[in-house]
Amino acid sequence: MRTDTGQVFKLEDYRPNDYLIPRTNLTFRLSPEATIVTAILTVERRDGVAAAAPLVLDGDGLTLKRVEIDGKKAKPADLLVTPDQLTILKPPARRFQLLIETELAPAGNEALMGLYRSNDVYCTQCEAEGFRRITYFLDRPDILSVYTVRIEALRDEAPLLLSNGNPGDKGNIRDGWHYAVWHDPFPKPSYLFALVAGNLGRVADSFVTMSGRKVELGIYVERGKEKLAGYAMDALKRSMRWDEEAFGREYDLDVFNIVAVSDFNMGAMENKGLNIFNDKYVLADEETATDADFANIEAIIAHEYFHNWTGNRITCRDWFQLCLKEGLTVFRDHEFSADQRSRAVKRIAEVRTLRAHQFPEDQGPLAHPVRPRRYREINNFYTATVYEKGSEVVRMIRTILGADAFRAGMDLYFERHDGEAATIEDFIKVFEDASGRDLSQFALWYHQAGTPNLTVSSTHNQSAREFTLEIEQSVPPTPSESRKRLMHIPLAFGLIGAGGKPVAYSGVEGASVEDGVIHLRKRRHMVRFSGVIERPAVSLNRGFSAPVTLSVEQKADDQFFLARHDSDAFSRWQAFNTLLTDALIAAFREFLGGRQPVFATRLTELAGSIAGDETLEPAYRALALALPGDADIARDIGKNIDPDAIHAARQGFALAIATTNAEAFSSLYHRLADKAAFSPDAASAGRRALRNILLDYLSLLQGGAALAARHFQSATNMTDRAAALAVLAHRHHASPEANKALAAFEKTYASDPLVMDKWFQIQASVPGPQAVDTVRALTAHPAFSMANPNRVRSLIGTFSSANQTGFHRADGEGYRFFAQTVLEVEKRNPQVAARLATALRSWRSLEPGRQAKAREALLSIANAENLSADLRDIVERTLA
């Protein structure tokens, strides 16, 4: 574990390395305690580099066994060797061969970076800087190399030997050993290297590309779980076809393999031709996976496959350009899911995720631009800003240019930069060249941190038939950026009249308006629409055209009108969600003042009206009925947060909605009972989602516990079973019905770790002061392990990020337990510990008592001895 705080890497300091490694030959002789890795590197000095320039290779805790240069043993005087660096002081020629032999202990690698062993399976994770834990190398994204890999292992221990590219020679070696050779003809950076060896079951299929090539497909899982990989295979084939149709991208190797492993730091990894997945994003059937699991599998399978072009064939020049592969590929997987499912529902879900994770990041001490300008530990920049906001920036390019010009720009990007390590400037340039548009101001979205706010007011002059929007933009200060430049913000809008019909206008001045989008480029715009006879209701940021916040002077009547009549599905949801949020914030303030809030009947009735509106998709209605979460309300309040008061307001409002609509909700709940065979398709999933949120409301009424218990007992799929268990645990905590259901679930699924994660999650998110003791006790459960990232995220991650009242317990015990646990996890896995620690990023928004206790917990982590670079970076920035 690296405990140094590390240097600060700056974008402005980027320089190409003096050397290239065009070819890399690797031989692995696998052993749990003593794997031997022999790397033979073809090294070339760049033109114009002085002959005396040393070759400095990266390492991380390596044990060096041997170095040869052009077949001769290197002299000790010609080398500088540490576990973290190998320097060839006087490289012999412009081009030479360098042999490096290292010894690894995969079984003892609990950090799960580099080569490690999980459940008797050898596996690698090399992004971002894991390859240097395997051998000394120029471990940076702009060093592209053609890899040939030979893997040797005991056949009984590892009958399956996989690596990147296409399979080559294979055969037996003496004493029960065997080997396999893999060759990847496409140059790639070291972070995309992959190796898997073990005894796994295979699900086989094939795909015929648009040019008629047959590609062999394989998904490898633990033996006995092959039947759980069928949906993942179906999602893969749909992804391959969609990428051909939507972006003209055809797969380029003879094989495409996916391996599912149970110990994995991330969701999945896009290694060329050999994707490695956290098994929770591969394994699914109706008995063990929820509808959300099926949707995640579909999206993540697609995301990693789409990386073949946006990330692999075109990679990023340096880690500052991470959003170039991740933000772009998130955009692509969002579009895929929207086409496979419901575009409106998917868009709402995307925005909810962005607001829940990226907006707080932009508003706190960990804020950074989509393309950071500096970092100390790159593992800490796999963030919602890079992924989710990065995707929104790509979406805005399409909004500004239009679909055709955007596609032309993407085609030019693939043509111009295939086989290269590219930059954000390269990406912006292809769209400028394809469209003839100047995107220099727009590019600030990549370079400037913070969430822009738009303040909007409107007036209607009936006699002049003129409607005016006054719009002002501002970006709040963020760490190291106190002064902000003006952004180019594409604001989609609609003027809505009686019955939801669009209001016509004859002309517009004060801003560029194209295809229903106002292009904001100045601090303040007075946008005047002429020929407007009736005063319209204004629908703003339709489709969430820009990742901004809105402060709109708008009458409640207009919001109610838009919630019923807006033709833009997202904006209709947003209008209703704004009404809910405003009511919850008002109730929060009533509770703080010691008063009992009263909720407007017309709002609770509107909830019932939306629930029963058969013109809306069930999934859409389910999303609309989901009240903003405790953390969402806290984010909108902004400061002096009391989580207990927020939770009380939310509980009171839910009861008011349930009481107003009891009869209608009950009738609809029973009508939605699914009598057909289970299907994970979007329509079926939507009906289950609506029925389960109705159950949540009905559970608050008399007889609610019994209703939820019957729902649990009669459930024929995990979606319904887990939903009922959550309702019992959350709404009827410690009741006989809840205790009985929790025990039954545990007994049924005790041997299935992924399902037990749901059991941990449900209990870790039960609100209230008892949560700390519950979670502490569950860490001793036989199914829990601090060494497994999925278990840690399901229990500790859920408690700290999804249980506002429990985690933020007023006496600070939640913070103290959390700090102790983070330090315990860090001993094994610094990456997971650092990501957990981000749960305290918004500590300054708490009321003073909790704020002081949260700070104490952060300081207790910061002052711990031998803190890893990963965790120290997060904690110091959070405290700064």
Side-chain angles (χ1 to χ4, degrees):
M1 180 175 76
R2 289 188 296 119
T3 57
D4 60 283
T5 57
Q7 73 181 90
V8 175
F9 297 89
K10 298 179 180 180
L11 174 60
E12 64 197 54
D13 293 337
Y14 171 82
R15 299 290 183 276
N17 197 273
D18 290 343
Y19 290 89
L20 300 170
I21 305 177
R23 295 196 173 274
T24 298
N25 286 61
L26 299 172
T27 299
F28 289 79
R29 189 166 177 84
L30 295 173
S31 168
E33 304 299 336
T35 289
I36 300 298
V37 181
T38 304
I40 300 176
L41 313 178
T42 300
V43 182
E44 292 182 357
R45 189 168 63 244
R46 288 184 187 270
D47 292 338
V49 173
L55 172 63
V56 182
L57 302 176
D58 302 303
D60 186 354
L62 291 174
T63 299
L64 180 66
K65 307 296 288 187
R66 179 166 56 118
V67 178
E68 293 181 2
I69 299 175
D70 285 337
K72 297 178 181 179
K73 183 178 180 181
K75 298 175 182 178
D78 295 336
L79 307 175
L80 287 178
V81 182
T82 72
D84 299 336
Q85 197 171 82
L86 170 61
T87 302
I88 312 298
L89 294 171
K90 297 179 180 179
R94 184 176 178 276
R95 182 184 178 96
F96 62 96
Q97 273 202 343
L98 177 62
L99 182 149
I100 303 169
E101 186 178 283
T102 54
E103 182 177 305
L104 316 175
N109 182 358
E110 290 186 301
L112 310 183
M113 286 293 291
L115 176 67
Y116 63 94
R117 204 160 184 250
S118 165
N119 291 339
D120 298 327
V121 175
Y122 294 94
C123 181
T124 58
Q125 172 57 34
C126 292
E127 189 176 357
E129 296 177 337
F131 191 74
R132 64 186 65 187
R133 296 170 63 94
I134 294 172
T135 188
Y136 294 99
F137 201 77
L138 293 177
D139 190 15
R140 44 189 283 171
D142 60 348
I143 300 298
L144 307 183
S145 190
V146 172
Y147 284 70
T148 301
V149 179
R150 177 185 170 100
I151 309 168
E152 301 175 1
L154 284 166
R155 181 179 289 277
D156 289 345
E157 180 184 79
L160 174 71
L161 306 174
L162 300 175
S163 191
N164 308 90
N166 293 320
D169 191 24
K170 62 181 179 179
N172 294 318
I173 316 174
R174 62 184 182 181
D175 300 327
W177 286 67
H178 71 135
Y179 74 94
V181 176
W182 291 80
H183 176 70
D184 185 357
F186 296 96
K188 64 175 179 285
S190 53
Y191 80 84
L192 289 172
F193 168 77
L195 175 152
V196 172
N199 186 4
L200 297 170
R202 180 175 186 241
V203 176
D205 209 326
S206 62
F207 178 83
V208 178
T209 69
M210 60 185 182
S211 68
R213 292 176 48 254
K214 185 178 181 180
V215 179
E216 297 298 329
L217 308 177
I219 297 182
Y220 295 87
V221 300
E222 290 181 22
R223 291 195 178 277
K225 295 184 177 180
E226 292 89 344
K227 67 182 181 68
L228 300 178
Y231 190 78
M233 180 64 81
D234 177 66
L236 172 60
K237 295 176 72 173
R238 285 186 283 120
S239 302
M240 297 176 80
R241 182 64 66 208
W242 183 89
D243 209 17
E244 291 181 342
E245 295 170 352
F247 285 92
R249 297 301 100 196
E250 181 176 0
Y251 187 63
D252 47 12
L253 292 170
D254 299 333
V255 299
F256 185 86
N257 290 318
I258 291 173
V259 177
V261 296
S262 57
D263 293 303
F264 202 69
N265 282 345
M266 305 181 189
M269 180 62 211
E270 70 267 19
N271 317 295
K272 180 74 176 176
L274 178 57
N275 287 186
I276 299 177
F277 270 66
N278 187 321
D279 59 1
K280 72 179 290 185
Y281 297 119
V282 172
L283 305 177
D285 66 5
E286 64 210 68
E287 178 63 26
T288 60
T290 64
D291 290 325
D293 293 326
F294 281 102
N296 283 334
I297 288 169
E298 178 180 86
I300 295 172
I301 290 281
H303 180 94
E304 303 308 326
Y305 174 75
F306 297 154
H307 267 311
N308 187 60
W309 277 94
T310 51
N312 298 1
R313 286 286 288 264
I314 306 176
T315 192
C316 46
R317 185 196 69 179
D318 51 66
W319 290 120
F320 298 101
Q321 320 295 329
L322 180 59
C323 62
L324 182 58
K325 74 182 187 76
E326 294 301 348
L328 175 56
T329 305
V330 169
F331 168 77
R332 278 156 45 75
D333 84 56
H334 283 177
E335 285 298 291
F336 167 75
S337 294
D339 284 345
Q340 300 295 303
R341 293 174 175 263
S342 161
R343 184 164 288 273
V345 170
K346 175 62 177 168
R347 189 60 182 144
I348 294 167
E350 290 163 7
V351 174
R352 291 183 65 166
T353 297
L354 183 83
R355 288 173 173 165
H357 299 287
Q358 196 281 320
F359 276 22
E361 197 166 82
D362 248 351
Q363 295 164 4
L366 302 181
H368 62 86
V370 174
R371 181 176 70 178
R373 289 186 295 277
R374 62 183 66 84
Y375 65 82
R376 191 165 62 183
E377 179 52 66
I378 187 56
N379 290 327
N380 292 335
F381 281 84
Y382 286 76
T383 62
T385 297
V386 166
Y387 281 69
E388 306 303 331
K389 188 174 181 179
S391 168
E392 294 300 318
V393 175
V394 177
R395 184 179 299 277
M396 284 189 288
I397 294 175
R398 188 180 66 175
T399 298
I400 290 168
L401 301 185
D404 291 343
F406 177 79
R407 173 61 190 270
M410 287 301 304
D411 289 345
L412 181 58
Y413 179 63
F414 294 128
E415 177 187 340
R416 183 180 288 176
H417 296 292
D418 185 17
E420 294 182 359
T423 66
I424 291 301
E425 285 74 19
D426 295 329
F427 187 64
I428 291 290
K429 187 68 164 60
V430 297
F431 292 107
E432 290 182 325
D433 290 350
S435 67
R437 303 280 287 263
D438 179 1
L439 296 176
S440 56
Q441 184 183 13
F442 175 81
L444 287 173
W445 282 100
Y446 282 109
H447 309 318
Q448 188 164 266
T451 303
N453 177 257
L454 299 179
T455 302
V456 185
S457 61
S458 63
T459 57
H460 180 239
N461 186 329
Q462 190 169 16
S463 60
R465 297 188 174 185
E466 184 176 84
F467 182 74
T468 302
L469 284 176
E470 182 176 346
I471 308 172
E472 185 169 343
Q473 67 162 290
S474 62
V475 184
T478 54
S480 74
E481 279 186 4
S482 57
R483 299 185 65 182
K484 302 290 186 176
R485 289 177 287 175
L486 296 173
M487 312 281 277
H488 175 185
I489 300 173
L491 183 68
F493 76 101
L495 306 181
I496 313 299
K501 296 179 180 179
V503 171
Y505 55 90
S506 57
V508 61
E509 61 181 36
S512 171
V513 178
E514 302 171 9
D515 300 319
V517 176
I518 303 171
H519 293 270
L520 307 174
R521 295 183 175 90
K522 301 186 299 183
R523 183 169 305 281
R524 184 169 174 268
H525 288 266
M526 297 288 287
V527 187
R528 294 182 174 87
F529 299 88
S530 54
V532 179
I533 300 172
E534 61 174 312
R535 188 187 77 82
V538 187
S539 172
L540 293 171
N541 210 23
R542 305 185 103 191
F544 202 68
S545 60
V548 300
T549 57
L550 295 174
S551 301
V552 185
E553 292 182 13
Q554 193 167 41
K555 297 177 181 178
D557 286 348
D558 281 354
Q559 292 176 333
F560 274 92
F561 177 80
L562 292 171
R564 292 181 180 277
H565 298 294
D566 199 325
S567 60
D568 181 86
F570 171 83
S571 292
R572 182 174 179 180
W573 169 84
Q574 181 60 72
F576 183 54
N577 194 255
T578 298
L579 288 167
L580 297 177
T581 300
D582 290 347
L584 285 164
I585 292 174
F588 160 77
R589 295 196 169 115
E590 290 292 295
F591 273 113
L592 282 185
R595 297 178 295 276
Q596 191 68 27
V598 176
F599 298 96
T601 302
R602 72 166 177 165
L603 183 53
T604 58
E605 288 177 346
L606 178 57
S609 175
I610 290 172
D613 189 344
E614 297 292 340
T615 67
L616 300 172
E617 299 173 82
Y620 182 95
R621 287 182 268 165
L623 277 175
L625 290 173
L627 292 179
D630 291 1
D632 298 320
I633 302 163
R635 183 188 67 244
D636 286 342
I637 294 170
K639 60 182 179 180
N640 203 30
I641 300 302
D642 181 340
D644 292 336
I646 290 175
H647 186 70
R650 194 169 180 274
Q651 293 294 94
F653 195 16
L655 178 59
I657 291 173
T659 302
T660 300
N661 300 287
E663 185 176 343
F665 278 10
S666 178
S667 175
L668 181 56
Y669 168 81
H670 289 292
R671 291 202 309 273
L672 286 166
D674 202 346
K675 299 178 179 62
F678 177 86
S679 170
D681 68 274
S684 300
R687 288 192 295 272
R688 284 188 289 272
L690 179 55
R691 187 169 190 256
N692 285 328
I693 199 165
L694 292 171
L695 172 68
D696 187 47
Y697 279 110
L698 293 169
S699 73
L700 297 169
L701 305 175
Q702 187 174 3
L707 176 66
R710 289 194 299 273
H711 191 113
F712 178 82
Q713 292 158 6
S714 64
T716 59
N717 58 78
M718 181 53 69
T719 300
D720 289 339
R721 189 171 296 114
L725 184 62
V727 167
L728 286 167
H730 289 211
R731 302 299 195 188
H732 301 278
H733 173 65
S735 68
E737 294 91 344
N739 291 339
K740 182 179 179 181
L742 284 166
F745 194 98
E746 179 188 18
K747 182 179 179 180
T748 303
Y749 300 106
S751 62
D752 191 322
L754 293 179
V755 181
M756 285 300 290
D757 282 345
K758 303 181 196 306
W759 189 75
F760 287 128
Q761 287 170 334
I762 287 169
Q763 294 180 85
S765 56
V766 174
Q770 82 297 328
V772 181
D773 298 326
T774 300
V775 172
R776 183 183 284 113
L778 286 171
T779 61
H781 192 279
F784 182 79
S785 169
M786 284 289 186
N788 183 278
N790 282 349
R791 303 300 89 76
V792 172
R793 284 187 286 258
S794 69
L795 185 62
I796 310 303
T798 299
F799 169 68
S800 59
S801 64
N803 191 336
Q804 295 294 298
T805 59
F807 181 52
H808 297 291
R809 201 168 93 173
D811 65 359
E813 185 57 28
Y815 306 140
R816 287 188 286 274
F817 166 73
F818 178 70
Q820 294 162 4
T821 306
V822 166
L823 289 171
E824 182 180 350
V825 171
E826 189 225 17
K827 295 173 185 176
R828 297 181 176 90
N829 196 319
Q831 274 192 38
V832 172
R835 286 175 186 161
L836 285 175
T838 62
L840 281 172
R841 66 191 170 197
S842 300
W843 66 276
R844 284 189 175 87
S845 67
L846 296 164
E847 51 81 19
R850 287 178 171 87
Q851 190 178 126
K853 293 176 174 64
R855 184 174 183 274
E856 289 174 10
L858 284 165
L859 287 172
S860 73
I861 299 173
N863 294 331
E865 295 182 357
N866 300 317
L867 208 61
S868 68
D870 303 67
L871 184 54
R872 182 173 298 282
D873 174 50
I874 291 293
V875 172
E876 288 184 353
R877 285 195 286 138
T878 302
L879 284 167

